[in-house]
Amino acid sequence: MADVIYMKVLQDLKHRIYSNEFPDKKLPDERSLSESYGVSRSSIKRALNILAAQGIIFKKRGSGTFVNPLYLKNQPIFHNEGSNLGVTDSYQIDGQAPSIKLLNFQVVPANEDLQQALFLSPGDFVYQIERLRILEDVPFMIETGFIPIKIIPELSLGDVEGSIFNYVEEKKKNAVTKSFMSVMAAPSTANDQALLALKPTEPVGIMEGIFFLDDGTPFEVSTMRLNYKYMRYNAFVSLDSE
Amino acid sequence: MADVIYMKVLQDLKHRIYSNEFPDKKLPDERSLSESYGVSRSSIKRALNILAAQGIIFKKRGSGTFVNPLYLKNQPIFHNEGSNLGVTDSYQIDGQAPSIKLLNFQVVPANEDLQQALFLSPGDFVYQIERLRILEDVPFMIETGFIPIKIIPELSLGDVEGSIFNYVEEKKKNAVTKSFMSVMAAPSTANDQALLALKPTEPVGIMEGIFFLDDGTPFEVSTMRLNYKYMRYNAFVSLDSE
DNA sequence: AAGTGGTCTAGACCACTTC
DNA sequence: AAGTGGTCTAGACCACTTC
């Protein structure tokens, strides 16, 4: 992926944006970027379109391309940087991935909700995986995931202490690239408070999702409970492509 | 929008998919589509990429393009009913729009953040509009919005007691069709608790956004603080188009 | 070997904004 | 008039899958 031109341009531009290289929030025009990077304008546009879809920049025809001030105002936490949608890739900070503390790992029968979400039959089993995610020594997320055992029957204790999405990508050559997400807020439970070092008045952010493999197979149902300070979900919404 | 080639192709393909014209779930290859539609392969790819981003199809290099069976089976989780992205259209319940209680309406100078977000110059003014949104007698959202006065200099007290986005659509023939949203959670303030009938341990969900008119003009910066029970932000995420 | 999607180019023309 | 992003073309070559 890194050998692809538009990805190189994208990474470089993102770095320059975060380095505040454009204090007036205006990027060079596409034709200048094309020349300075030595690539076609199409490749520049492709990189810019992705940055726009990620909410980092926006474009105004006739005027130029601008850094989204909302995006830089606070530190964005959840950003889809990697080759898949997993927590490990999305919560990188300065290239450092969050570490994992395994809380629970077992195989259970899929209940009705899980059967429907993961296209399973009665009697099918799923892994239940509960993990605490830690970023720079701060536990910030409790993650409970359910994965059909038939998709990765060989999953071991060691595997679930690392990135499962990366594991699947490497071993199965099938990345998790799509998801339906629901983002919510809720009061913290006693368990949340203990694990995430929250006061009783401090809430959790909740991200619930169904994750799909690239071929459309539902891979995991996951509920993530976050220290509210670490949840900032950015999205670009457009009615154009309806 | 309908005069754009890739949109025409997109609409037509979507219609053909829903008409079950591809019972084997396989679409013609891109070069054939290019020929049969009489457009370039790039335009075909553009339409297909959008359909893939919407979760309707998926592509497999070397194999072809396929209808996503999951999509036809499952009802889409998130559906935007209205013609714009405003609260009035998005929070309809059984066709009933939320009502509005105006808390504050004044004209103030745009601070630096607003100048940057709304393309304003020092000395430009914005409306500051604070409103309480009420659904079936329950106040659920405190909304603070900032809109440049030069976009709608004639805005009156009566107008801000209704849907501003619908007003702009009717009067200016320019709909709010794009936005960058940030979704967060936070402890409730005393003000939140009073207006939204929350206990001190109950949080708010926060949706912060810049809303754009169809031509890309930033129209409003808005911060919405919601009773957490009423915030559920749904999104379909895909790395395909990125 | 043939088929199919992915990436990329160089350039044309259009639509809108700014000067 | 000049600048800037949007759309589109025709074609080249690459990577992966299927036969």
Side-chain angles (χ1 to χ4, degrees):
Chain A
M1 189 57 88
D3 56 337
V4 176
I5 288 179
Y6 73 82
M7 285 303 275
K8 280 194 218 163
V9 173
L10 187 156
Q11 300 297 350
D12 188 68
L13 280 175
K14 191 182 272 188
H15 183 260
R16 291 169 71 185
I17 288 169
Y18 282 123
S19 307
N20 204 32
E21 194 175 311
F22 312 107
D24 57 351
K25 306 303 179 202
K26 191 172 191 309
L27 269 63
D29 71 273
E30 295 179 350
R31 288 163 182 84
S32 303
L33 288 171
S34 170
E35 194 179 354
S36 63
Y37 279 103
V39 305
S40 73
R41 189 177 159 217
S42 307
S43 295
I44 295 293
K45 289 186 84 68
R46 191 158 189 178
L48 292 177
N49 283 337
I50 296 171
L51 287 170
Q54 294 179 346
I56 297 174
I57 62 171
F58 61 91
K59 293 175 279 185
K60 192 154 160 47
R61 183 193 297 203
S63 303
T65 302
F66 304 86
V67 177
N68 176 6
L70 262 193
Y71 198 86
L72 283 183
K73 199 161 75 172
N74 291 331
Q75 289 296 1
I77 300 299
F78 191 92
H79 39 244
N80 301 322
E81 296 248 7
S83 56
N84 64 52
L85 293 171
V87 173
T88 300
D89 278 17
S90 300
Y91 279 81
Q92 299 269 356
I93 286 188
D94 294 332
Q96 202 190 340
S99 62
I100 291 171
K101 185 186 171 193
L102 186 62
L103 301 176
N104 183 20
F105 179 44
Q106 55 183 326
V107 174
V108 299
N111 66 24
E112 246 181 51
D113 281 353
L114 290 173
Q115 284 172 36
Q116 193 165 43
L118 297 171
F119 280 91
L120 299 177
S121 308
D124 281 346
F125 286 88
V126 292
Y127 298 107
Q128 176 174 345
I129 306 163
E130 287 178 49
R131 309 192 288 183
L132 189 64
R133 300 281 194 156
I134 300 159
L135 204 53
E136 292 170 340
D137 294 327
V138 180
F140 72 103
M141 177 195 291
I142 305 165
E143 183 197 19
T144 304
F146 298 92
I147 302 175
I149 60 170
K150 66 181 178 191
I151 295 184
I152 37 175
E154 76 283 9
L155 197 66
S156 74
L157 196 71
D159 298 328
V160 297
E161 288 175 333
S163 165
I164 298 175
F165 287 12
N166 287 345
Y167 172 86
V168 169
E169 197 173 351
E170 284 161 25
K171 292 287 165 61
K172 301 282 184 182
K173 304 290 181 199
N174 209 338
V176 178
T177 56
K178 303 179 187 102
S179 69
F180 286 113
M181 300 290 292
S182 280
V183 184
M184 292 156 287
S188 54
T189 65
N191 188 51
D192 294 332
Q193 290 160 26
L195 289 173
L196 300 175
L198 291 169
K199 296 174 193 148
T201 56
E202 293 182 315
V204 289
I206 299 176
M207 299 196 297
E208 241 174 44
I210 305 179
F211 293 89
F212 300 86
L213 296 176
D214 204 40
D215 64 5
T217 308
F219 175 75
E220 181 182 21
V221 168
S222 179
T223 301
M224 293 164 269
R225 300 177 72 86
L226 290 90
N227 179 322
Y228 76 97
K229 291 172 185 163
Y230 288 82
M231 188 179 83
R232 185 182 184 92
Y233 187 89
N234 290 304
F236 173 70
V237 186
S238 174
L239 292 180
D240 283 351
S241 55
E242 289 286 324
Chain B
M1 188 57 74
D3 56 338
V4 176
I5 288 179
Y6 72 83
M7 284 305 252
K8 279 194 218 163
V9 172
L10 187 156
Q11 300 295 350
D12 188 67
L13 280 175
K14 192 183 270 189
H15 183 260
R16 290 169 71 185
I17 289 169
Y18 283 120
S19 307
N20 205 32
E21 196 175 314
F22 312 107
D24 57 352
K25 306 301 180 202
K26 192 173 192 310
L27 269 62
D29 71 272
E30 296 179 350
R31 288 163 181 85
S32 303
L33 288 171
S34 169
E35 194 179 354
S36 63
Y37 278 103
V39 305
S40 74
R41 190 176 157 217
S42 307
S43 295
I44 295 294
K45 289 186 84 69
R46 191 159 189 178
L48 293 178
N49 283 337
I50 295 173
L51 286 171
Q54 295 179 347
I56 296 174
I57 62 171
F58 60 89
K59 292 174 280 185
K60 263 180 133 52
R61 184 193 296 204
S63 304
T65 301
F66 305 86
V67 177
N68 180 3
L70 295 178
Y71 193 86
L72 291 180
K73 273 184 196 171
N74 287 353
Q75 290 299 336
I77 293 174
F78 181 67
H79 206 69
N80 247 313
E81 299 280 346
S83 56
N84 65 52
L85 293 170
V87 173
T88 299
D89 278 16
S90 299
Y91 277 81
Q92 301 267 356
I93 287 189
D94 295 331
Q96 201 190 342
S99 62
I100 290 170
K101 184 185 171 193
L102 186 62
L103 300 176
N104 183 20
F105 178 44
Q106 55 183 324
V107 173
V108 299
N111 66 25
E112 241 179 55
D113 282 351
L114 290 173
Q115 285 172 35
Q116 203 160 71
L118 296 171
F119 274 8
L120 300 177
S121 310
D124 281 347
F125 285 88
V126 293
Y127 298 106
Q128 176 174 347
I129 307 163
E130 288 179 49
R131 308 191 290 183
L132 189 65
R133 299 280 194 157
I134 299 158
L135 204 52
E136 292 169 339
D137 295 327
V138 180
F140 72 103
M141 176 194 291
I142 305 165
E143 182 198 18
T144 304
F146 298 92
I147 301 175
I149 61 170
K150 66 183 178 190
I151 294 184
I152 35 175
E154 75 283 8
L155 197 66
S156 73
L157 195 71
D159 298 328
V160 297
E161 287 175 334
S163 165
I164 298 175
F165 286 13
N166 288 345
Y167 172 87
V168 169
E169 197 172 351
E170 284 161 26
K171 292 286 166 59
K172 301 282 184 180
K173 305 291 181 199
N174 209 339
V176 178
T177 57
K178 303 180 189 111
S179 69
F180 286 117
M181 300 291 294
S182 281
V183 185
M184 294 155 286
S188 54
T189 64
N191 188 51
D192 294 332
Q193 291 160 25
L195 289 173
L196 301 175
L198 290 169
K199 297 173 194 149
T201 56
E202 293 182 315
V204 290
I206 299 177
M207 300 195 296
E208 222 173 62
I210 304 181
F211 293 89
F212 300 87
L213 297 175
D214 202 41
D215 64 4
T217 307
F219 175 74
E220 179 181 22
V221 168
S222 179
T223 301
M224 293 163 270
R225 300 177 72 86
L226 290 89
N227 180 321
Y228 76 98
K229 291 172 187 165
Y230 288 82
M231 188 178 82
R232 186 182 186 93
Y233 187 89
N234 292 305
F236 178 69
V237 185
S238 173
L239 291 180
D240 281 354
S241 61
E242 300 184 1

